[in-house]
Amino acid sequence: MMGPSHALSGAAVWLTGSWALDHFADYHQSPLALAVGTAVCAGGALFPDLDLSGKVTRNQGGATVARTFGVFSLFVAEVMEKISLGVYYATKLSRDPRRNNGHRTLTHTIPFTVLVGWGTTALCTAYGKWAVVGILFFMIGLALRGLFDEWAERAGWVIVTLVSAAAAWFTFANLPGDRGYPMIGLAVGVGCFVHILGDMITKAGVPILWPIPIKRRMWTMIGLPNSIALRTGSKAEVVVLRTALTVLSVLAAVGLVAPSVLQRFNIEV
Ligand SMILES: [Zn+2]
């Protein structure tokens, strides 16, 4: 799947989940909390592809996410790809094939998802709002890059970086202080998990069972069979899937915000 589809799926899952919590469990979130959670989950849904590096020196290539902060994120992607490849070779069994690139390995596993979610929560607990502003800056940047792909491409990474910094600062100034922010860790973790599911419906698949060895293979790629798998960049992805995800997000957002707006104008439904 391409970057924008991943980001949209993260936003759609977070909004739908929030709507379900609001509707069935009476768990309400402020509009700011909802916006932050949605942006962080959309950003988190791009995070695993930070293992797809490009040409750092020529500022080219790499996944959508790797180009968010220009050469800086391209460099991070390069490091992430090499670490992933290292972990692949350190844990591979006799029937795992040789590889020369770490894409779709470590960052596309459940342990990685859990680690990233836990790490984010731990950072927020230890450093409070300062950790929050850093994480938000990074995640909002990824989300902008994913959700507003064409704008981000035209605007360039400097503008994307400045807009993310402004959005992170605004949130920092308006978010209640002196408490943990477990929802941010959850949103990052859910985003990563949604990314893995998104890659699972393509034919290359993901090593979702790692580190469970199966038939002397540690990195079994699980994906859909060729005939029904989603082709990257196909009409099914760009038109059908993205439209469905957008409609779902809008419906959930309306469902979440409409009752309080109606209440404000004293309209009974
Ligand atoms: Zn991926």
Side-chain angles (χ1 to χ4, degrees), residues 1 6 45-46 48-49 51 103-104 107-108 195-196 199 206:
M1 257 162 66
H6 279 304
L46 287 167
D49 275 349
D51 66 350
H103 179 51
R104 281 202 182 192
T107 61
H108 289 63
H195 178 104
I196 297 175
D199 278 352
V206 280

Side-chain angles (χ1 to χ4, degrees), residues 97-183:
R98 299 185 61 79
R99 313 179 54 113
N100 48 26
N101 186 292
H103 179 51
R104 281 202 182 192
T105 57
L106 180 66
T107 61
H108 289 63
T109 63
I110 304 282
F112 180 83
T113 298
V114 174
L115 188 75
V116 169
W118 173 82
T120 308
T121 309
L123 275 176
C124 291
T125 310
Y127 300 102
K129 284 182 98 171
W130 287 107
V132 172
V133 77
I135 291 160
L136 283 179
F137 165 67
F138 187 68
M139 287 300 164
I140 291 172
L142 299 189
L144 284 175
R145 182 86 224 190
L147 294 174
F148 308 106
D149 188 37
E150 279 167 29
W151 165 80
E153 197 68 56
R154 259 183 290 122
W157 70 271
V158 178
I159 302 285
V160 172
T161 304
L162 290 175
V163 173
S164 328
W169 189 257
F170 172 81
T171 311
F172 177 77
N174 288 285
L175 213 61
D178 51 274
R179 61 182 186 90
Y181 300 92
M183 287 302 253

